Amino acid sequence: MSALVNPITTWSRTSSVKDVNGSRFRSTPFILPHPLHSNLPVSFCFSDPTRKPVSFSSLTVSAVLVKEQKEESKIIEKAPTFDFKNYMLGKASSVNKALEEAILLREPLKIHESMRYSLLAGGKRVRPMLCIAACELVGGQESTAMPAACAVEMIHTMSLMHDDLPCMDNDDLRRGKPTNHKMFGEDVAVLAGDALLAFSFEHVATATKGVSSARIVRVIGELAKCIGSEGLVAGQVVDICSEGLSEVGLDHLEFIHLHKTAALLEASVVLGAILGGANDEEVERLRKFARCIGLLFQVVDDILDVTKSSQELGKTAGKDLVADKTTYPKLLGIDKSRELAERLNTEAQEQLVGFDPIKAAPLIALANYIAYRDN
């Protein structure tokens, strides 16, 4: 299987998914490891040391009837090309403008300067785009999803600010700039992250327009769960507790990243779907899509950490290797990690079959972008 490379930025890129032998993807059943389909207790990660790791040679994409796959192929082949580059630029510009307007410089200046320093430092804005794209997929508008899209970016920024602290990953570089605590001190960086977290919920509650209060309450509950002790925080704390362990298996690693990384991507998509008026079945299909691309994001991140330079990444490269952290390349090797990334991408895109193909094009393209990004 060839190495991951940048994709052609059209939706038609998905019609040429290859299997590990290089031939066109066939209807081989593929089921992701069970952490993707269930909520596992933290204790799972530290119990049963005799448990055997999942064999990735047995992983299969969820069963799809041959008839459905033929229909999917027809949809993909007839789909118009999608200008993903312009889509990304346009959405990123809209998100950046909304973030700029959401958090203004005010007293006390120090805390707001710190918040804005990290929030407006750039970034690809993948999470906000996922939120907006999911909302538009089910018939909603960008303006409806924008407060929630900004909220997930505020929370993502908070997680980076805290993750970079000396008590966590102790990093000096983020998005090509000195980390927040290097500019403002550890105390202010902690408080600025806390302020971003609190304001994210305020922003959803007060700035979302044209949506019933019941849906807004559902969105707030979903967001809180995805980033709390059952979501992002759960992944982070298990990651911390795993330091120094001599053996960390695939199940353990997946628990960490389905919570630490995938949970916020899941929230981004699910929030957009709820705000756009999706029914429960559509929400759950999009939730599964998001979990797949969330794990995909981390697999690719692990690959980039050992194959790219700090200058190319805009952050410190090889830090997981130096810290002797367990990663997918460490457990599986580079080639098998790339195979896993391809399979996760395929599984994610299958969840979008049946939606309007034109409206699904941004999510398809975003999945490919995550799979084939180089920083």
Side-chain angles (χ1 to χ4, degrees):
M1 179 176 176
S2 61
L4 293 176
V5 295
N6 286 324
I8 300 172
T9 54
T10 64
W11 187 30
S12 57
R13 166 70 177 80
T14 60
S15 64
S16 59
V17 175
K18 304 290 185 176
D19 66 11
V20 296
N21 297 313
S23 57
R24 187 178 179 85
F25 183 81
R26 297 182 295 276
S27 57
T28 308
F30 172 47
I31 300 174
L32 289 170
H34 56 273
L36 189 60
H37 304 291
S38 62
N39 293 321
L40 300 179
V42 173
S43 59
F44 164 81
C45 296
F46 303 100
S47 61
D48 193 4
T50 62
R51 187 186 186 101
K52 294 183 180 180
V54 177
S55 169
F56 278 78
S57 62
S58 66
L59 294 180
T60 55
V61 174
S62 51
V64 179
L65 296 175
V66 172
K67 180 181 177 181
E68 291 176 335
Q69 287 200 330
K70 288 181 179 178
E71 291 174 352
E72 176 189 0
S73 297
K74 290 178 182 178
I75 290 172
I76 291 173
E77 288 167 4
K78 292 179 180 179
T81 58
F82 176 67
D83 190 344
F84 181 54
K85 181 178 180 180
N86 279 338
Y87 177 87
M88 266 194 99
L89 290 173
K91 294 301 185 189
S93 177
S94 297
V95 169
N96 287 333
K97 183 175 184 292
L99 290 171
E100 174 80 34
E101 293 172 350
I103 299 182
L104 303 174
L105 273 178
R106 63 188 72 169
E107 294 293 341
L109 285 177
K110 190 78 168 180
I111 194 72
H112 290 98
E113 286 172 348
S114 177
M115 293 165 69
R116 287 169 59 88
Y117 174 81
S118 292
L119 185 63
L120 305 178
K124 295 174 280 291
R125 309 306 190 198
V126 169
R127 290 157 190 81
M129 286 184 207
L130 285 168
C131 185
I132 294 168
C135 183
E136 293 178 332
L137 173 68
V138 296
Q141 303 296 320
E142 177 185 296
S143 58
T144 303
M146 187 59 77
C150 289
V152 294
E153 189 68 7
M154 292 173 196
I155 292 169
H156 175 55
T157 300
M158 173 278 296
S159 72
L160 299 181
M161 292 164 67
H162 286 180
D163 204 41
D164 290 336
L165 290 167
C167 64
M168 302 285 271
D169 277 0
N170 192 23
D171 215 330
D172 297 340
L173 191 66
R174 174 68 67 180
R175 291 172 175 167
K177 300 172 65 176
T179 47
N180 196 285
H181 67 276
K182 286 293 179 181
M183 293 295 294
F184 297 93
E186 293 177 38
D187 47 3
V188 173
V190 170
L191 293 171
D194 293 344
L196 281 172
L197 177 60
F199 185 70
S200 67
F201 287 94
E202 177 186 340
H203 194 57
V204 172
T206 60
T208 305
K209 306 299 181 185
V211 180
S212 69
S213 57
R215 284 189 179 269
I216 293 176
V217 169
R218 185 180 175 189
V219 160
I220 290 173
E222 185 79 37
L223 183 58
K225 185 173 182 179
C226 282
I227 65 174
S229 60
E230 296 182 48
L232 188 154
V233 171
Q236 185 69 68
V237 75
V238 174
D239 191 22
I240 292 170
C241 293
S242 301
E243 292 180 6
L245 294 183
S246 57
E247 293 185 12
V248 175
L250 288 173
D251 290 339
H252 189 141
L253 189 62
E254 283 174 6
F255 179 92
I256 291 172
H257 295 309
L258 281 171
H259 292 77
K260 182 179 177 181
T261 303
L264 190 54
L265 287 164
E266 176 184 335
S268 302
V269 172
V270 171
L271 265 55
I274 293 172
L275 291 168
N279 60 41
D280 290 345
E281 187 271 336
E282 290 171 331
V283 168
E284 291 313 307
R285 284 176 62 193
L286 289 170
R287 185 188 302 279
K288 188 175 181 182
F289 165 83
R291 288 182 180 178
C292 287
I293 64 170
L295 191 55
L296 169 64
F297 192 98
Q298 187 59 51
V299 174
V300 173
D301 221 41
D302 285 356
I303 293 170
L304 293 176
D305 188 62
V306 295
T307 59
K308 298 291 183 179
S309 67
S310 297
Q311 184 177 4
E312 290 172 311
L313 295 178
K315 60 181 180 180
T316 306
K319 64 179 183 179
D320 291 338
L321 186 64
V322 172
D324 198 28
K325 278 193 172 185
T326 301
T327 63
Y328 284 97
K330 184 176 180 179
L331 286 181
L332 301 175
I334 295 292
D335 290 341
K336 290 294 183 182
S337 296
R338 284 174 170 148
E339 289 176 18
L340 176 58
E342 289 282 1
R343 292 182 178 189
L344 286 167
N345 190 13
T346 300
E347 169 79 358
Q349 294 186 32
E350 286 195 346
Q351 307 312 310
L352 301 178
V353 175
F355 286 104
D356 181 329
I358 295 177
K359 291 182 178 179
L363 288 176
I364 294 282
L366 279 162
N368 282 331
Y369 175 76
I370 290 171
Y372 300 103
R373 65 197 171 93
D374 55 13
N375 59 39

